[in-house]
Amino acid sequence: MSVGEEEWARERAWFGRDGEPEPGPLARQFADLTRTLLDVTPTVGGVLKLVVGAATALIPDAHLVSVTLRDADGTFHTPVGTDPIAERLDQVQYDHGEGPCVESARPDGPAVGWSQDLGRDPRWPAFGPAAARNGFHSVLATALLPDARPPRLSGALNIYSRTPGAFDARAIDLALLLATHASLALAHTQAVAAAELESAHLRRAVDSRDVIGQAKGILMQRRGITADEAFDVLRRASQDLNVKLADLAKALAARHTEVDLPASEA
């Protein structure tokens, strides 16, 4: 539940006063989130899901929320998102090396990055128009720094909005607070997190490789072509259809009696 302007004003009015006032609704929400993150949630996946849910509830016009994590080799992935569109918009940034979630997720990147008009933002010529074409015009990304030691694994909390000019100073403050909570919780669960993320990442890689191999085998048998030629067919079809290669291969493998790629792709 989001916090209204009157509630914010009451909480701000207490700052600097003597005594111990009753915590306001925002303070209670963050206190509850802290207890849940540190005491109840033992895994990185659970931590990130809670933070993503809190961002959706607390930040007005947060229509999509995701988390970017940077691996030790410098590559990025999205372990948690509220919608596949968020993952696709993140991936555009990874593919082109531009955008606020990539910039904030770098260890030496800015603490916060945002845009109020993505379609016209000259900083990100690939990502900005792609987001606008999908109906998202504002973005806000805040850095996650769960590990201060080498290799300094890092990430970003990413918030997308359909509303132009969606994110004001209050939204930025909330996102920074949430990112701080997430960073502390991730550090708290570091031992479990490292094993879980590595396992999930390897599992996805193995699953993708296996299904691509199945699709290649189907094409090789069906068309009498080599493995390299079959992979080229899949790659070209993936580009032409604007579908991830692994997703295309999965569809072909699962429905090989119904689905075939256009003959012109051979």
Side-chain angles (χ1 to χ4, degrees):
M1 182 173 61
S2 62
V3 177
E5 290 289 345
E6 293 182 4
E7 294 169 312
W8 271 90
R10 283 197 297 270
E11 287 198 45
R12 283 197 299 267
W14 279 109
F15 292 143
R17 292 190 181 184
D18 294 331
E20 296 184 3
E22 280 290 314
L26 183 64
R28 286 195 298 270
Q29 286 174 320
F30 272 103
D32 290 342
L33 178 63
T34 301
R35 282 193 295 271
T36 303
L37 287 173
L38 296 180
D39 298 337
V40 180
T41 311
T43 67
V44 66
V47 168
L48 296 179
K49 286 177 183 176
L50 278 172
V51 171
V52 163
T56 304
L58 289 172
I59 299 177
D61 292 321
H63 297 128
L64 299 176
V65 182
S66 66
V67 169
T68 291
L69 289 183
R70 179 181 178 273
D71 294 326
D73 63 359
T75 60
F76 301 95
H77 68 284
T78 301
V80 176
T82 57
D83 190 281
I85 297 175
E87 298 177 28
R88 290 203 294 272
L89 293 178
D90 289 352
Q91 189 64 48
V92 172
Q93 297 180 70
Y94 307 157
D95 291 343
H96 293 275
E98 63 173 52
C101 80
V102 167
E103 293 171 4
S104 294
R106 294 186 177 119
D108 58 349
V112 59
W114 76 99
S115 175
Q116 304 281 48
D117 189 358
L118 282 167
R120 299 181 182 179
D121 198 316
R123 293 174 293 172
W124 309 311
F127 163 65
R133 284 195 300 271
N134 280 275
F136 294 91
H137 303 287
S138 299
V139 66
L140 170 61
T142 51
L144 299 176
L145 292 171
D147 191 355
R149 297 168 298 178
R152 293 199 66 194
L153 302 182
S154 56
L157 175 65
N158 314 311
I159 305 163
Y160 299 93
S161 178
R162 298 185 184 92
T163 306
F167 301 124
D168 57 11
R170 185 179 72 178
I172 293 172
D173 288 345
L174 277 171
L176 286 168
L177 283 169
L178 285 167
T180 300
H181 277 65
S183 297
L184 291 171
L186 287 171
H188 184 72
T189 60
Q190 181 180 2
V192 176
E196 180 184 326
L197 285 176
E198 183 177 359
S199 175
H201 192 63
L202 289 173
R203 227 175 11 249
R204 285 194 300 271
V206 170
D207 289 346
S208 295
R209 187 172 66 238
D210 287 349
V211 77
I212 290 170
Q214 293 174 33
K216 284 168 56 179
I218 291 168
L219 290 172
M220 291 166 65
Q221 183 182 37
R222 183 177 291 170
R223 301 189 180 185
I225 57 180
T226 67
D228 287 343
E229 290 169 336
F231 183 80
D232 284 340
V233 170
L234 287 168
R235 179 180 53 79
R236 290 198 301 270
S238 170
Q239 293 171 346
D240 292 344
L241 298 172
N242 195 25
V243 175
K244 288 183 179 179
L245 193 148
D247 291 342
L248 180 66
K250 184 176 181 180
L252 181 59
R255 302 173 58 196
H256 61 90
T257 58
E258 308 169 38
V259 176
D260 194 8
L261 301 182
S264 60
E265 299 297 335

